Amino acid sequence: MKLEFGYGTGVQEVQVPDRNLLGVLHANQVPLELTGEAEVRRALENPIGTPRLRQIVRPGEKIAIVTSDLTRPMPTAQVMPALLEELYAAGARKEDITLVFALGSHREQTEQERRKLAGEQAWNEIACVDSEPADCIHMGCTAAGTPVDITRVVAEADRRICLGNIEYHYFAGYSGGVKAIMPGVSTRDAIQANHRMMVRPESCAGTLDTNPLRQDIEEAGRICGVDFILNVVLSEHKQIIRAVAGHPVEAHRAGCRFLDTIYLKPLPQAADIVLVSQGGAPKDLNLYQTQKALDNARHAVKPGGIIILIGSCKEGLGERVFEEWMTQSESPEAMIERIGRDFQLGGHKAAAIAMTLQKAEVDLVSDMEDDFVRSIFLNPQPDAQTALDRAFARLGADATVLAMPYGGSTLPRIQS
């Protein structure tokens, strides 16, 4: 079978023998009813596990709405009109509502960036601020020892509402839910304490109740107190196709189940060889972005197998801390050891690549120089077809192959 994988603005073509091919993973097609703002209103009118928000909020209460910063695709501007309408129906005053952009460990945003994220109605009617990692209130500690240090405007609010989009997250299981609180509006020390658990095998995409890192996040959410969430699931074109509202865990789980109907791909067996791409530009601009597809492919490959990662990476590694870890570490094992004692954003993706290398070889088809690729513990290949031919030469002519043309979105799960 002839397959195509997005590569920058072009494609890489690969001929895979039919007898070797286990499958080609694409998103499932599911019937959709409402989308966009209409779907958001439906969710607010039918909350999961709680009364409607207008029945929870009381006049005079201080309300903090926590949402994502510019590094996430959450369409805050699209959901705020319906959310504000619900709060005003409860008697909330505009001056008592604050929209807080959860920076985590990211940079402060400009006024123009905040305004674009908030949307004109929210920007003109309520306060819209970045979280302040340097001005937090200590609210307790989780059982794992993670400090629950929350930015003041959120910690001192009478009601807390969390917004977010739900997608697979390679060590928190899924995004969304109370992840807006931890790590969203927490301190760097708190984030490091939580994220160091990423090296545990159970801390992986698609897991929740057995994921120690996600469970720590949700315990932090309980200590802080979250009254309501409004989360959305986005299509590959970033359109709202499902919204869930209500209880911070129950509503989140409902959203995760819907995500699974589209992007979770059960497989009867793992493959010897996995061909994977982010789908081309702009998602394969650098290795920092392309890593997401690699991590999803890790769940589909046999121990000792080969992942062929197809991504232009024409801008190189793409992030300063990630580059430092990838280029200055003595070995993949050194990165894994380091992340457990010295969590750093950027370094966490280097450690994730290192954990993949513990399971399988990684051949990289990219625009980066061969010697540089070898220096970061990956095997350079000139094109996808050559990479596949060489993989067959190493593993045998009967080696099985799985193709993931949009590897950042689809999550394989081997059925035990």
Side-chain angles (χ1 to χ4, degrees):
M1 178 182 287
K2 180 180 174 181
L3 301 175
E4 291 187 348
F5 295 83
Y7 182 84
T9 57
V11 297
Q12 289 272 332
E13 294 183 350
V14 187
Q15 190 72 39
V16 182
D18 290 347
R19 67 184 182 87
N20 298 86
L21 188 62
L22 294 180
V24 182
L25 303 192
H26 290 284
N28 299 317
Q29 297 299 312
V30 298
L32 301 176
E33 297 179 5
L34 299 176
T35 59
E37 189 172 335
E39 169 62 9
V40 173
R41 292 182 182 279
R42 181 208 59 79
L44 288 169
E45 292 167 4
N46 300 275
I48 298 168
T50 68
R52 284 189 69 163
L53 189 56
R54 64 180 61 185
Q55 297 172 297
I56 296 173
V57 172
R58 297 287 179 265
E61 291 181 328
K62 298 293 184 182
I63 302 160
I65 303 169
V66 184
T67 193
S68 304
D69 68 0
L70 54 75
T71 66
R72 301 290 183 263
M74 171 63 195
T76 304
Q78 198 172 349
V79 307
M80 284 304 295
L83 181 59
L84 288 175
E85 181 180 303
E86 188 76 6
L87 291 173
Y88 295 156
R93 299 178 302 181
K94 296 174 182 178
E95 58 267 30
D96 288 334
I97 305 171
T98 303
L99 179 63
V100 183
F101 297 105
L103 296 183
S105 294
H106 306 151
R107 68 164 175 83
E108 293 182 5
Q109 302 175 125
T110 66
E111 180 177 316
Q112 183 179 2
E113 288 167 341
R114 292 196 301 274
R115 181 171 190 157
K116 182 178 179 181
L117 288 173
E120 286 303 306
Q121 181 183 353
W123 183 260
N124 291 325
E125 294 182 3
I126 64 174
C128 301
V129 303
D130 283 344
S131 62
E132 290 279 358
D135 183 21
C136 288
I137 293 177
H138 181 69
M139 304 182 78
C141 285
T142 68
T146 300
V148 183
D149 298 329
I150 305 301
T151 198
R152 183 175 298 275
V153 67
V154 176
E156 292 182 344
D158 299 304
R159 299 291 180 186
R160 302 176 190 92
I161 301 166
C162 290
L163 310 185
N165 71 293
I166 300 175
E167 59 187 357
Y168 294 116
H169 190 281
Y170 63 100
F171 57 77
Y174 299 75
S175 63
V178 297
K179 204 167 175 289
I181 297 294
M182 167 69 71
V185 291
S186 303
T187 61
R188 178 172 287 275
D189 286 346
I191 295 168
Q192 181 164 317
N194 171 263
H195 283 17
R196 66 165 56 101
M197 288 185 274
M198 69 171 284
V199 298
R200 299 189 188 179
E202 302 88 353
S203 299
C204 61
T207 62
L208 289 165
D209 295 336
T210 59
N211 184 325
L213 192 145
R214 164 58 72 168
Q215 291 299 301
D216 191 59
I217 287 172
E218 292 182 345
E219 185 179 353
R222 289 192 296 273
I223 292 171
C224 174
V226 174
D227 297 280
F228 200 85
I229 70 165
L230 175 56
N231 283 183
V232 298
V233 176
L234 305 178
S235 70
E236 291 182 337
H237 303 293
K238 305 306 178 187
Q239 301 301 310
I240 296 172
I241 56 175
R242 180 60 60 92
V244 291
H247 189 276
V249 175
E250 293 178 32
H252 179 251
R253 296 296 190 269
C256 294
R257 287 192 293 271
F258 176 79
L259 185 82
D260 287 347
T261 66
I262 303 176
Y263 298 117
L264 186 67
K265 308 295 293 189
L267 297 173
Q269 65 184 87
D272 297 301
I273 302 167
V274 177
L275 288 156
V276 63
S277 164
Q278 271 282 59
K283 294 183 177 181
D284 69 347
L285 195 61
N286 52 54
L287 188 60
Y288 191 80
Q289 296 182 51
T290 305
Q291 177 273 337
K292 183 176 181 181
L294 175 63
D295 202 82
N296 284 349
R298 174 169 63 99
H299 300 286
V301 71
K302 290 180 181 177
I306 296 172
I307 298 173
I308 299 172
L309 179 62
I310 304 164
S312 167
C313 302
K314 69 176 184 179
E315 293 190 359
L317 298 185
E319 200 274 341
R320 181 187 58 80
V321 178
F322 176 64
E323 181 172 352
E324 184 263 315
W325 281 54
M326 291 296 296
T327 59
Q328 297 184 27
S329 297
E330 295 180 358
S331 65
E333 291 72 25
M335 290 188 272
I336 296 171
E337 186 276 331
R338 181 178 177 184
I339 201 68
R341 59 177 168 78
D342 178 29
F343 179 87
Q344 294 183 36
L345 290 169
H348 71 301
K349 287 209 171 190
I353 290 176
M355 288 188 283
T356 299
L357 288 169
Q358 287 190 322
K359 184 178 184 182
E361 291 186 59
V362 177
D363 290 0
L364 178 64
V365 179
S366 76
D367 293 334
M368 295 191 290
E369 294 292 332
D370 287 1
D371 286 345
F372 179 74
V373 172
R374 292 188 190 96
S375 76
I376 58 173
F377 316 109
L378 309 178
N379 305 319
Q381 298 292 352
D383 57 73
Q385 187 65 62
T386 301
L388 180 61
D389 294 342
R390 291 177 178 175
F392 278 133
R394 279 180 279 172
L395 297 181
D398 294 328
T400 54
V401 179
L402 182 72
M404 298 176 61
Y406 299 95
S409 298
T410 50
L411 178 64
R413 176 170 288 169
I414 306 305
Q415 302 299 293
S416 56

